[in-house]
Amino acid sequence: MKRAPIFHWLIGIAIAAMAIAASFYFDDSVRHFIMQHQNRAMRNFMHYVSLFGDWPSHILVGLFLLGFAWRRGNKQWTRIFLAMVLAMSLAGGTGTVIKRTVPRARPSVHTEIRWGGPHFSTKYHSFPSGHVGASTAFFGVLIIARRRIGLALLPIPILIGFSRMYVGAHYLSDVVCAAVLGILCAAVVSRVLLQERHRTSMWRRE
Protein backbone atom coordinates (compact mmCIF):
# COMPACT_ATOMS: atom_id res chain seq x y z
CA MET A 1 0.00 0.00 0.00
CA LYS A 2 1.31 3.41 -0.97
CA ARG A 3 1.83 6.25 1.49
CA ALA A 4 -1.06 8.34 0.18
CA PRO A 5 -3.75 5.66 0.78
CA ILE A 6 -2.32 4.98 4.23
CA PHE A 7 -2.43 8.69 5.05
CA HIS A 8 -6.05 8.91 3.84
CA TRP A 9 -7.04 5.92 5.96
CA LEU A 10 -5.39 7.42 9.03
CA ILE A 11 -7.18 10.73 8.48
CA GLY A 12 -10.47 8.89 8.04
CA ILE A 13 -9.94 6.87 11.21
CA ALA A 14 -9.11 10.01 13.18
CA ILE A 15 -12.21 11.82 11.92
CA ALA A 16 -14.40 8.79 12.67
CA ALA A 17 -12.97 8.48 16.19
CA MET A 18 -13.60 12.16 16.93
CA ALA A 19 -17.14 11.96 15.52
CA ILE A 20 -17.93 8.89 17.65
CA ALA A 21 -16.50 10.46 20.81
CA ALA A 22 -18.44 13.69 20.21
CA SER A 23 -21.67 11.80 19.53
CA PHE A 24 -21.52 9.96 22.86
CA TYR A 25 -20.74 13.23 24.63
CA PHE A 26 -23.77 14.99 23.11
CA ASP A 27 -26.19 12.05 23.37
CA ASP A 28 -28.30 13.49 26.17
CA SER A 29 -28.15 17.08 24.90
CA VAL A 30 -29.41 16.11 21.45
CA ARG A 31 -32.06 13.82 22.94
CA HIS A 32 -33.40 16.58 25.19
CA PHE A 33 -33.38 19.10 22.34
CA ILE A 34 -35.40 16.77 20.12
CA MET A 35 -37.89 16.04 22.90
CA GLN A 36 -38.45 19.77 23.41
CA HIS A 37 -39.15 20.34 19.70
CA GLN A 38 -41.73 17.66 18.99
CA ASN A 39 -44.92 18.27 17.03
CA ARG A 40 -47.48 15.91 15.56
CA ALA A 41 -46.99 16.79 11.88
CA MET A 42 -43.22 16.43 12.03
CA ARG A 43 -43.47 13.22 14.03
CA ASN A 44 -45.84 11.68 11.47
CA PHE A 45 -43.49 12.70 8.66
CA MET A 46 -40.46 11.25 10.45
CA HIS A 47 -42.40 8.09 11.17
CA TYR A 48 -42.94 7.52 7.44
CA VAL A 49 -39.32 8.40 6.66
CA SER A 50 -38.23 5.85 9.24
CA LEU A 51 -40.70 3.27 7.91
CA PHE A 52 -39.68 3.55 4.25
CA GLY A 53 -36.01 4.07 5.13
CA ASP A 54 -35.58 0.54 6.45
CA TRP A 55 -33.54 -2.13 4.64
CA PRO A 56 -36.44 -3.77 2.70
CA SER A 57 -37.00 -0.57 0.71
CA HIS A 58 -33.28 -0.25 -0.01
CA ILE A 59 -32.90 -3.85 -1.11
CA LEU A 60 -35.97 -3.66 -3.36
CA VAL A 61 -34.60 -0.55 -5.05
CA GLY A 62 -31.14 -2.09 -5.27
CA LEU A 63 -32.37 -5.35 -6.78
CA PHE A 64 -34.59 -3.50 -9.26
CA LEU A 65 -31.69 -1.32 -10.42
CA LEU A 66 -29.39 -4.34 -10.50
CA GLY A 67 -31.83 -6.24 -12.70
CA PHE A 68 -32.37 -3.22 -14.94
CA ALA A 69 -28.63 -2.65 -15.45
CA TRP A 70 -28.04 -6.36 -16.09
CA ARG A 71 -30.91 -6.43 -18.57
CA ARG A 72 -29.44 -3.46 -20.39
CA GLY A 73 -26.07 -5.17 -20.52
CA ASN A 74 -24.33 -2.40 -18.59
CA LYS A 75 -21.59 -4.30 -16.74
CA GLN A 76 -20.27 -1.24 -14.96
CA TRP A 77 -23.57 -0.25 -13.35
CA THR A 78 -24.44 -3.90 -12.71
CA ARG A 79 -21.28 -4.17 -10.63
CA ILE A 80 -22.06 -0.90 -8.82
CA PHE A 81 -25.63 -1.88 -7.92
CA LEU A 82 -24.46 -5.33 -6.83
CA ALA A 83 -21.86 -3.70 -4.59
CA MET A 84 -24.54 -1.42 -3.11
CA VAL A 85 -26.76 -4.39 -2.20
CA LEU A 86 -23.86 -6.42 -0.79
CA ALA A 87 -22.51 -3.50 1.26
CA MET A 88 -25.96 -2.90 2.72
CA SER A 89 -26.31 -6.61 3.57
CA LEU A 90 -22.88 -6.65 5.21
CA ALA A 91 -23.70 -3.58 7.30
CA GLY A 92 -27.07 -5.02 8.27
CA GLY A 93 -25.63 -8.37 9.31
CA THR A 94 -22.78 -6.81 11.25
CA GLY A 95 -25.12 -4.37 12.95
CA THR A 96 -27.45 -7.18 14.02
CA VAL A 97 -24.57 -9.07 15.62
CA ILE A 98 -23.49 -5.94 17.51
CA LYS A 99 -27.05 -5.24 18.68
CA ARG A 100 -27.37 -8.68 20.23
CA THR A 101 -23.85 -8.68 21.62
CA VAL A 102 -24.02 -5.19 23.15
CA PRO A 103 -27.68 -4.55 24.09
CA ARG A 104 -28.60 -0.89 24.59
CA ALA A 105 -32.02 0.33 25.64
CA ARG A 106 -33.71 2.61 23.16
CA PRO A 107 -34.31 6.22 24.28
CA SER A 108 -38.05 5.52 24.42
CA VAL A 109 -37.52 2.74 27.00
CA HIS A 110 -37.87 4.02 30.56
CA THR A 111 -34.97 2.43 32.44
CA GLU A 112 -32.07 3.68 34.53
CA ILE A 113 -29.72 1.13 32.95
CA ARG A 114 -28.87 2.35 29.46
CA TRP A 115 -26.54 -0.53 28.53
CA GLY A 116 -27.43 -4.18 29.00
CA GLY A 117 -30.73 -6.03 28.84
CA PRO A 118 -32.42 -8.83 26.88
CA HIS A 119 -30.25 -9.73 23.89
CA PHE A 120 -33.19 -10.63 21.64
CA SER A 121 -35.62 -7.84 22.59
CA THR A 122 -35.89 -5.13 19.94
CA LYS A 123 -36.40 -2.60 22.74
CA TYR A 124 -32.73 -3.14 23.58
CA HIS A 125 -31.41 -3.03 20.00
CA SER A 126 -30.60 0.65 19.94
CA PHE A 127 -26.88 0.37 19.13
CA PRO A 128 -26.14 0.77 16.29
CA SER A 129 -28.99 1.98 14.08
CA GLY A 130 -29.78 -0.68 11.50
CA HIS A 131 -31.60 1.82 9.29
CA VAL A 132 -28.64 4.19 9.14
CA GLY A 133 -26.01 1.48 8.76
CA ALA A 134 -27.81 -0.08 5.80
CA SER A 135 -28.62 3.22 4.11
CA THR A 136 -25.12 4.64 4.57
CA ALA A 137 -23.52 1.49 3.16
CA PHE A 138 -25.97 1.49 0.25
CA PHE A 139 -25.36 5.09 -0.80
CA GLY A 140 -21.75 5.03 0.35
CA VAL A 141 -20.88 2.67 -2.50
CA LEU A 142 -22.58 5.05 -4.92
CA ILE A 143 -20.52 7.97 -3.58
CA ILE A 144 -17.33 5.98 -4.09
CA ALA A 145 -18.31 4.82 -7.58
CA ARG A 146 -20.15 7.93 -8.83
CA ARG A 147 -19.38 10.84 -6.56
CA ARG A 148 -21.74 13.45 -7.99
CA ILE A 149 -24.77 11.16 -8.01
CA GLY A 150 -23.91 9.76 -4.59
CA LEU A 151 -23.47 13.17 -2.98
CA ALA A 152 -26.76 14.34 -4.50
CA LEU A 153 -28.50 11.43 -2.75
CA LEU A 154 -26.58 11.82 0.53
CA PRO A 155 -29.51 13.69 2.21
CA ILE A 156 -31.45 10.40 2.17
CA PRO A 157 -29.37 8.54 4.82
CA ILE A 158 -28.97 11.80 6.75
CA LEU A 159 -32.75 12.28 6.88
CA ILE A 160 -33.22 8.64 7.87
CA GLY A 161 -30.74 9.08 10.72
CA PHE A 162 -32.52 12.19 11.98
CA SER A 163 -35.90 10.44 11.74
CA ARG A 164 -34.67 7.58 13.93
CA MET A 165 -33.64 10.03 16.62
CA TYR A 166 -36.84 12.07 16.28
CA VAL A 167 -39.12 9.08 16.84
CA GLY A 168 -37.11 8.05 19.91
CA ALA A 169 -35.62 4.88 18.44
CA HIS A 170 -31.95 5.86 18.70
CA TYR A 171 -29.42 8.14 20.35
CA LEU A 172 -27.04 10.32 18.37
CA SER A 173 -24.18 7.88 19.01
CA ASP A 174 -26.28 5.00 17.62
CA VAL A 175 -26.68 6.94 14.38
CA VAL A 176 -23.07 8.11 14.10
CA CYS A 177 -21.59 4.68 14.85
CA ALA A 178 -23.97 3.10 12.34
CA ALA A 179 -22.88 5.63 9.72
CA VAL A 180 -19.22 4.79 10.38
CA LEU A 181 -20.05 1.08 10.08
CA GLY A 182 -21.89 1.72 6.81
CA ILE A 183 -19.00 3.72 5.36
CA LEU A 184 -16.55 0.98 6.33
CA CYS A 185 -18.70 -1.73 4.70
CA ALA A 186 -19.10 0.41 1.58
CA ALA A 187 -15.33 0.91 1.37
CA VAL A 188 -14.57 -2.81 1.82
CA VAL A 189 -17.12 -4.02 -0.73
CA SER A 190 -16.16 -1.30 -3.22
CA ARG A 191 -12.52 -2.26 -2.97
CA VAL A 192 -13.34 -5.91 -3.65
CA LEU A 193 -15.85 -5.43 -6.49
CA LEU A 194 -15.21 -2.06 -8.07
CA GLN A 195 -11.45 -2.39 -8.42
CA GLU A 196 -12.22 -4.52 -11.47
CA ARG A 197 -13.12 -1.34 -13.37
CA HIS A 198 -9.50 -0.80 -14.32
CA ARG A 199 -9.16 -4.35 -15.61
CA THR A 200 -12.34 -3.90 -17.65
CA SER A 201 -10.87 -0.79 -19.28
CA MET A 202 -7.72 -2.72 -20.17
CA TRP A 203 -9.77 -5.52 -21.73
CA ARG A 204 -11.68 -3.02 -23.84
CA ARG A 205 -8.46 -1.50 -25.12
CA GLU A 206 -7.25 -4.91 -26.16
Side-chain angles (χ1 to χ4, degrees), residues 47-69:
H47 173 74
Y48 284 111
V49 170
S50 183
L51 178 64
F52 291 104
D54 204 355
W55 67 267
S57 300
H58 285 73
I59 200 167
L60 285 175
V61 172
L63 291 177
F64 172 79
L65 294 174
L66 174 61
F68 182 78

Side-chain angles (χ1 to χ4, degrees), residues 81 86 119 139-140 176 178:
F81 292 137
L86 291 178
H119 290 264
F139 291 103
V176 172

Side-chain angles (χ1 to χ4, degrees), residues 136-204:
T136 304
F138 188 80
F139 291 103
V141 171
L142 190 58
I143 292 175
I144 294 172
R146 291 291 184 273
R147 184 174 300 176
R148 291 183 179 180
I149 299 176
L151 290 177
L153 297 176
L154 183 60
I156 295 177
I158 293 176
L159 181 60
I160 291 173
F162 183 74
S163 73
R164 299 302 288 162
M165 291 188 293
Y166 198 90
V167 300
H170 294 287
Y171 292 97
L172 175 63
S173 55
D174 300 330
V175 170
V176 172
C177 290
V180 172
L181 173 63
I183 293 171
L184 180 61
C185 291
V188 170
V189 174
S190 296
R191 185 168 182 81
V192 172
L193 291 183
L194 303 185
Q195 65 182 357
E196 297 295 327
R197 291 170 57 189
H198 298 291
R199 297 180 182 177
T200 303
S201 299
M202 292 177 63
W203 292 339
R204 289 178 178 176

